[in-house]
């Protein structure tokens, strides 16, 4: 039986009335995304048609998911909100703080030894405030959500950008910062700009070496890393319905890499099969009773150009396996000759040192079974891997079942290392090097979602390429980036020339899923008597002090850094070894912007202090400004803050005295996170003004006392020689968000309202 089945039935009891009302109000058929959005309005039944990409709308999500790295700050904030219990079903998942090194059991015990304080904190807070708790080793948050909580037609938010994975089961699931989650946990509405809609029509059918992963790799190559910003991507067509549920999840998962708000598929038979296989026949039965309301209307899919803002069509029968990268997830190259040409031209190492399968993107039973079919062929044909091999199962349910069915044994027979059911190398939790900064230039291939520099192993010289699990297995065996299993042969131990056959696998385990201990702990019914203790001298956890409002008189603001080019949340607040400080704002602020490239020197973590004239690390320089009572500003390029939902990338600059971030454009989640923390997130009205900013500049906000929705702000930029430029900065603050700014943060406003 499903978790929260009564809540799911309640959603379905309203869907017919609300969708019918939305059709009448809009005067047109609806996409699936629109149906879910209009079904989850905070005010109940729809009364107006919203304008895509313009109207801000209050929503009522059905549930929330937190992962341990972001849950710490989210729950520390919730503890200040004045509530005794979460208002909607919420879960905490311990998957980020487990480092991959020696293998599953050893690595898990090491994590328990080193992060026990954090795990105990998360468990106790969850128990006190009514959150379900998934223990370390239980699995990766998004795979666990897909197996237990996702349901067709639902809306959820999660403090991880890959919350979108649940779109594979027909949800609108959106990654948010912790402060957004706190709003909903506290019983408040969640605000989102009504998204634009991108339709992806999938014709034909996947076969051979082509996998669902190749669909999103292709879409990323078409749309780019920021092309989906502000939009929901909705997949439909015969190719979509022919695909497995977990395959759909893979596609939705990596939609975060094109900046999409989320991605989703309409409810179909593959989703029903998955629900029943994961002991949720009650959800399948309930969904079947309203199934026409859990997918887009027929007319929408028949004439998509009339109902979507953009339509992409992909013939799966013609799609080739792809490798995306390095250093960006939207650079697509076909396997084989095309990769050889690209690698030779760009001096990418063709020898592959590691192949990694897993992460929240590709760690299902189907993924492991298809990759294992390639591994078994290598064993049968006398081949050994030329690269090292690592596997991260997605959940304990997947791991236990795969072990029972002999799949993990196949990998182990090929000398693969089985890591814990956790994120591991995908988020930099990989002890590959003793000194990653000075590690050599090399290539790896993985089935993860992101491949930014330093992402996996901390080595800036690691060229990471993203591919399907079966392609990762093949390339790992061959040891060459340009290997094409469809045309290229290999020489086995006997000197014989052999070829790999097409992968095979199971959509679902033939003998069903099985697990002895899934790792779930239910909270007490009433946790009011429980205490949550945070030691004053802890290096890992720190109770939060409310931010002070910045006020309407911002003058003498100094430039902290002008970031050049791509500046992701990994650049602003790195993961890897820094994950241990995710619950301690002051300690983790020592990584603030250390990965951003200074536009003047093209160096990282090396900026000029206008106090001393000397150059030093970004956090140290920021702390000196703060100690002197001087506020600072960060200037950035396009799609600033892309990548992870981590709100630390907003909280750290705020903690260190940054008052405003002025960029050419923002990634959606990061812009919201800045607003939530009471900062100014601004964009250049004229992008060319970015070039006016000089290293010794001082900024005066001349009309901040007139801060109002739709009214740009004027900044006077004073250069070192006394000359001045005037810059106009746009913003997307409505009256509610201006209230966040005036109170110092959204959390301050929540506390004030709860105390009233």
């Amino acid at each position: 039986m499903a978790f929260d089945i009564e809540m799911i039935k309640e959603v379905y009891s309203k869907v017919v009335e609300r969708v019918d009302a939305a059709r009448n109000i809009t005067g047109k058929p609806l996409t699936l995304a629109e149906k879910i959005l209009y079904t989850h309005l905070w005010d109940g039944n729809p009364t107006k048609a919203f304008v895509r990409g313009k109207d801000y709308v209050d929503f009522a999500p059905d549930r929330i998911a937190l992962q341990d790295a972001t849950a710490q700050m989210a729950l520390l904030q919730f503890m200040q909100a004045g509530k005794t219990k979460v208002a909607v079903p919420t879960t905490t998942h311990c998957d980020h703080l487990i480092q991959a090194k020696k293998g599953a059991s050893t690595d898990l015990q090491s994590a328990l030894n080193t992060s026990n304080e954090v795990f105990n904190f998360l468990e106790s807070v969850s128990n006190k405030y009514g959150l379900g708790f998934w223990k370390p080793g239980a699995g990766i948050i998004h795979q666990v959500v897909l197996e237990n909580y996702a349901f067709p037609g639902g809306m959820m938010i999660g403090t991880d950008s890959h919350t979108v994975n649940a779109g594979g089961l027909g949800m609108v699931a959106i990654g948010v910062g912790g402060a957004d989650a706190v709003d909903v946990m506290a019983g408040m509405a969640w605000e989102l700009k009504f998204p634009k809609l991108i339709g992806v029509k999938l014709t034909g059918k996947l076969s051979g070496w082509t996998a669902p992963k190749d669909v999103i790799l292709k879409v990323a190559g078409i749309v780019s890393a920021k092309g989906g910003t502000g939009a929901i991507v909705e997949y439909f067509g015969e190719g979509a319905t022919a695909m497995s549920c977990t395959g759909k999840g893979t596609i939705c998962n990596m939609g975060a890499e094109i900046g999409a708000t989320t991605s989703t598929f309409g409810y179909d038979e593959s989703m029903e099969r998955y629900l029943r296989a994961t002991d949720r026949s009650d959800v399948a039965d309930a969904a079947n009773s309203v199934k026409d309301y859990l997918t887009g209307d027929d007319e929408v899919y028949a004439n998509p150009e009339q109902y979507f803002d953009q339509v992409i069509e992909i013939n799966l029968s013609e799609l080739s396996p792809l490798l995306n990268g390095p250093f960006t997830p939207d650079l697509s190259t076909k396997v084989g000759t095309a990769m050889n040409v690209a690698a030779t031209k760009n001096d990418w190492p063709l020898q592959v040192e590691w192949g990694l399968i897993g992460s929240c993107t590709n760690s299902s039973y189907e993924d492991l079974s298809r990759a294992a079919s390639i591994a078994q062929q290598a064993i049968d044909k006398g081949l050994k891997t030329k690269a090292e091999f690592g596997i991260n199962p997605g959940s304990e349910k997947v791991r236990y079942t795969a072990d029972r069915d002999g799949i993990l044994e196949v990998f182990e027979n090929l000398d693969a290392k089985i890591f814990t059911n956790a994120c591991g190398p995908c988020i930099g939790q990989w002890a590959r090097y003793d000194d990653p900064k000075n590690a050599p230039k090399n290539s790896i291939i993985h089935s993860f979602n992101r491949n930014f520099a330093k992402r996996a192993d901390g080595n800036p010289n690691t060229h990471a390429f993203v591919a399907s699990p079966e392609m990762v297995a093949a390339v790992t065996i061959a040891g060459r980036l340009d290997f094409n299993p469809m045309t290229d042969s290999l020489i086995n131990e006997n000197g014989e020339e052999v070829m790999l056959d097409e992968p095979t696998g199971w959509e679902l385990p033939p003998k069903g899923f099985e697990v002895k201990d899934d790792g779930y702990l239910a909270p007490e019914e009433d946790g009011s008597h429980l205490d949550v203790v945070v030691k004053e001298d802890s290096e890992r956890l720190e109770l939060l002090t409310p931010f002070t409002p910045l006020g309407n008189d911002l003058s003498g603001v100094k430039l902290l850094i002008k970031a050049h080019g791509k500046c992701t949340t990994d650049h602003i607040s790195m993961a890897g070894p820094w994950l241990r400080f995710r619950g301690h704002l002051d300690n983790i602020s020592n990584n603030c912007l250390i990965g951003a490239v200074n536009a003047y020197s093209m160096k990282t973590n090396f900026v000029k202090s206008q106090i001393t004239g000397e150059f030093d690390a970004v956090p140290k320089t920021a702390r000196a400004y703060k100690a002197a009572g001087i506020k600072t500003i960060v200037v950035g390029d396009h799609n600033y803050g892309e990548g992870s939902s981590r709100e630390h990338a907003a909280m750290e600059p705020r903690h260190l005295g940054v008052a405003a971030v002025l960029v050419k454009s923002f990634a959606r989640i990061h812009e919201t996170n800045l607003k939530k923390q009471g900062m100014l997130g601004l964009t250049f009205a004229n992008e060319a003004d970015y070039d006016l900013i000089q290293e010794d500049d001082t900024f005066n906000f001349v009309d901040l006392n007139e801060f109002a929705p739709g009214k740009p702000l004027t900044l006077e930029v004073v250069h070192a020689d006394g000359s001045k430029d005037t810059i106009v900065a746009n913003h997307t603050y409505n009256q509610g968000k201006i209230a966040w700014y005036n109170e110092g943060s959204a959390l301050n406003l929540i506390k004030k309202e709860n105390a009233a």
Side-chain angles (χ1 to χ4, degrees):
M1 179 174 167
F3 288 93
D4 309 307
I5 185 62
E6 294 307 317
M7 176 269 286
I8 295 171
K9 289 179 178 178
E10 178 70 13
V11 172
Y12 289 160
S13 73
K14 299 173 181 176
V15 67
V16 174
E17 178 185 358
R18 293 187 176 182
V19 170
D20 287 349
R23 281 203 199 99
N24 290 333
I25 289 167
T26 60
K28 66 179 185 65
L30 299 177
T31 65
L32 168 64
E34 289 173 311
K35 290 180 180 181
I36 298 175
L37 293 170
Y38 278 110
T39 301
H40 287 84
L41 299 177
W42 178 257
D43 292 330
N45 285 351
T47 57
K48 64 170 287 188
F50 296 106
V51 180
R52 299 175 193 167
K54 182 179 179 181
D55 288 342
Y56 282 90
V57 183
D58 286 340
F59 292 101
D62 299 313
R63 67 174 315 108
I64 298 169
L66 315 172
Q67 45 94 333
D68 51 355
T70 53
Q72 296 170 64
M73 198 59 69
L75 292 175
L76 284 165
Q77 291 178 87
F78 181 74
M79 288 168 63
Q80 293 190 44
K83 297 291 185 178
T84 58
K85 195 170 186 177
V86 290
V88 301
T90 305
T91 51
T92 303
H93 304 256
C94 296
D95 61 354
H96 276 55
L97 299 179
I98 303 169
Q99 188 180 56
K101 185 175 183 179
K102 295 182 178 180
S105 58
T106 301
D107 294 345
L108 178 57
Q109 186 58 53
S110 178
L112 293 172
N113 294 341
T114 58
S115 295
N116 196 48
E117 178 187 8
V118 173
F119 295 142
N120 286 342
F121 166 76
L122 294 175
E123 183 180 340
S124 64
V125 176
S126 297
N127 202 18
K128 180 176 179 64
Y129 294 105
L131 293 79
F133 182 75
W134 291 81
K135 296 184 293 185
I140 304 171
I141 176 173
H142 310 304
Q143 180 66 32
V144 173
V145 165
L146 198 71
E147 291 174 2
N148 295 277
Y149 299 113
F151 66 97
M155 174 184 275
M156 69 173 288
I157 59 173
T159 59
D160 188 286
S161 54
H162 293 103
T163 300
V164 295
N165 188 80
L169 204 38
M171 294 195 88
V172 161
I174 301 174
V176 299
D180 271 1
V182 170
D183 281 357
V184 180
M185 290 158 65
M188 300 175 68
W190 174 63
E191 185 187 72
L192 177 73
K193 184 186 288 186
F194 205 82
K196 293 185 177 181
L197 300 175
I198 297 174
V200 181
K201 182 178 182 179
L202 302 179
T203 63
K205 188 176 181 179
L206 294 171
S207 63
W209 283 91
T210 309
K213 186 62 162 276
D214 295 304
V215 177
I216 186 57
L217 296 180
K218 179 71 172 179
V219 171
I222 294 171
V223 175
S224 85
K226 62 179 181 178
T229 302
I232 291 179
V233 182
E234 185 169 327
Y235 292 85
F236 61 95
E238 60 180 353
T241 55
M243 200 179 294
S244 70
C245 179
T246 52
K248 292 179 174 73
T250 290
I251 292 170
C252 292
N253 180 292
M254 203 172 157
E257 273 49 73
I258 61 170
T261 301
T262 191
S263 304
T264 194
F265 286 77
Y267 179 59
D268 61 19
E269 292 179 0
S270 72
M271 295 185 191
E272 180 180 355
R273 290 193 297 270
Y274 187 75
L275 285 169
R276 296 193 188 282
T278 50
D279 298 321
R280 289 177 288 171
S281 289
D282 45 359
V283 178
D285 292 340
N288 285 343
S289 70
V290 291
K291 63 181 179 181
D292 290 343
Y293 289 81
L294 303 179
T295 188
D297 287 335
D298 291 341
E299 187 176 336
V300 169
Y301 294 158
N303 301 286
E305 290 79 7
Q306 297 179 26
Y307 301 102
F308 291 97
D309 298 290
Q310 179 184 356
V311 177
I312 299 168
E313 185 168 338
I314 299 174
N315 186 340
L316 302 184
S317 300
E318 298 175 356
L319 185 63
S320 299
L322 298 167
L323 280 73
N324 281 29
F327 306 128
T328 185
D330 58 350
L331 179 58
S332 295
T333 307
K334 289 184 179 181
V335 301
T337 303
M339 176 54 73
N340 184 286
V341 171
T344 302
K345 177 182 177 181
N346 295 288
D347 195 28
W348 301 337
L350 280 168
Q351 181 183 348
V352 173
E353 295 193 2
W354 267 91
L356 297 156
I357 293 172
S359 91
C360 58
T361 320
N362 279 109
S363 55
S364 67
Y365 185 90
E366 180 182 38
D367 290 325
L368 295 184
S369 69
R370 285 178 63 84
S373 75
I374 304 302
Q376 186 62 57
Q377 285 184 55
I379 295 167
D380 295 341
K381 297 182 180 187
L383 296 167
K384 291 186 178 295
T385 58
K386 297 288 182 61
E388 294 188 76
F389 206 3
I391 311 292
N392 280 82
S395 69
E396 177 58 15
K397 182 178 289 185
V398 167
R399 188 212 65 80
Y400 189 94
T401 306
D403 189 38
R404 178 202 68 189
D405 294 346
I407 290 175
L408 298 188
E409 184 180 6
V410 172
F411 290 125
E412 290 172 327
N413 289 340
L414 204 60
D415 294 327
K417 190 170 288 186
I418 309 298
F419 293 123
T420 315
N421 314 319
C423 302
C426 182
I427 59 160
Q429 284 284 57
W430 185 22
R432 183 184 179 192
Y433 296 111
D434 292 329
D435 182 13
K437 291 182 180 179
N438 296 312
K441 184 175 180 178
N442 73 102
S443 287
I444 65 174
I445 185 169
H446 59 57
S447 69
F448 307 160
N449 38 50
R450 294 197 172 132
N451 56 354
F452 305 135
K454 305 182 186 179
R455 172 79 181 185
D457 59 10
N459 177 10
N461 299 312
T462 293
H463 294 54
F465 294 84
V466 183
S468 68
E470 44 267 64
M471 191 55 63
V472 170
V475 171
T476 302
I477 292 163
R480 282 185 62 85
L481 197 62
D482 58 351
F483 176 66
N484 183 348
M486 294 173 286
T487 60
D488 299 345
S489 60
L490 298 168
I491 305 300
N492 69 9
E493 292 178 301
N494 299 321
E496 300 165 333
E497 192 172 294
V498 298
M499 290 188 68
L500 296 174
D501 301 320
E502 294 178 353
T504 59
W506 293 274
E507 175 186 349
L508 296 164
K511 294 188 288 184
F513 283 107
E514 187 178 351
V515 66
K516 284 191 175 179
D517 177 8
D518 61 8
Y520 176 72
L521 295 177
E524 288 196 23
E525 188 67 31
D526 179 6
S528 58
H529 64 286
L530 300 173
D531 293 323
V532 177
V533 179
V534 175
K535 295 183 295 183
E536 288 189 12
D537 61 348
S538 172
E539 294 184 350
R540 300 290 299 272
L541 297 165
E542 177 188 48
L543 295 175
L544 294 175
T545 300
F547 289 130
T548 302
L550 293 166
N552 292 326
D553 181 22
L554 287 183
S555 58
V557 177
K558 301 295 185 181
L559 178 69
L560 177 61
I561 185 171
K562 177 180 174 180
H564 169 80
K566 187 184 284 288
C567 190
T568 72
T569 49
D570 275 8
H571 295 90
I572 305 168
S573 175
M574 291 183 177
W578 290 97
L579 285 171
R580 67 186 185 275
F581 296 129
R582 282 287 180 86
H584 197 296
L585 181 56
D586 191 58
N587 283 348
I588 199 170
S589 292
N590 289 322
N591 80 358
C592 184
L593 286 156
I594 64 176
V597 177
N598 185 341
Y600 306 107
S601 65
M602 302 307 289
K603 296 180 179 179
T604 58
N605 202 25
F606 193 70
V607 294
K608 185 177 182 178
S609 166
Q610 293 186 48
I611 298 175
T612 65
E614 301 295 320
F615 288 82
D616 212 327
V618 180
K620 186 175 180 180
T621 304
R623 289 183 186 277
Y625 280 129
K626 182 180 179 181
I630 299 171
K631 294 181 174 64
T632 54
I633 185 172
V634 172
V635 174
D637 214 316
H638 275 300
N639 208 28
Y640 183 88
E642 72 171 280
S644 167
S645 69
R646 68 191 68 146
E647 64 183 337
H648 299 76
M651 295 186 76
E652 292 175 34
R654 179 75 161 98
H655 177 66
L656 296 183
V658 175
V661 179
L662 174 63
V663 300
K664 293 179 181 177
S665 65
F666 281 109
R668 175 190 62 84
I669 300 176
H670 186 65
E671 181 182 13
T672 299
N673 286 346
L674 293 171
K675 295 175 182 178
K676 286 281 185 177
Q677 302 306 329
M679 300 171 70
L680 293 174
L682 309 173
T683 55
F684 289 101
N686 177 10
E687 290 181 5
D689 287 348
Y690 171 90
D691 298 323
L692 297 176
I693 309 302
Q694 300 175 24
E695 196 165 24
D696 292 303
D697 281 350
T698 300
F699 296 74
N700 299 315
F701 290 72
V702 300
D703 56 0
L704 189 55
N705 61 323
E706 301 171 7
F707 193 15
K711 184 180 184 298
L713 293 174
T714 304
L715 281 66
E716 179 185 68
V717 185
V718 183
H719 305 302
D721 62 2
S723 63
K724 299 178 181 178
D725 281 302
T726 298
I727 288 177
V728 177
N730 292 330
H731 66 81
T732 57
Y733 288 74
N734 58 21
Q735 207 59 57
K737 293 181 175 65
I738 291 174
W740 298 346
Y741 177 81
N742 290 336
E743 292 296 332
S745 71
L747 182 59
N748 287 353
L749 185 61
I750 292 175
K751 291 172 64 178
K752 182 177 181 180
E753 291 174 346
N754 284 337

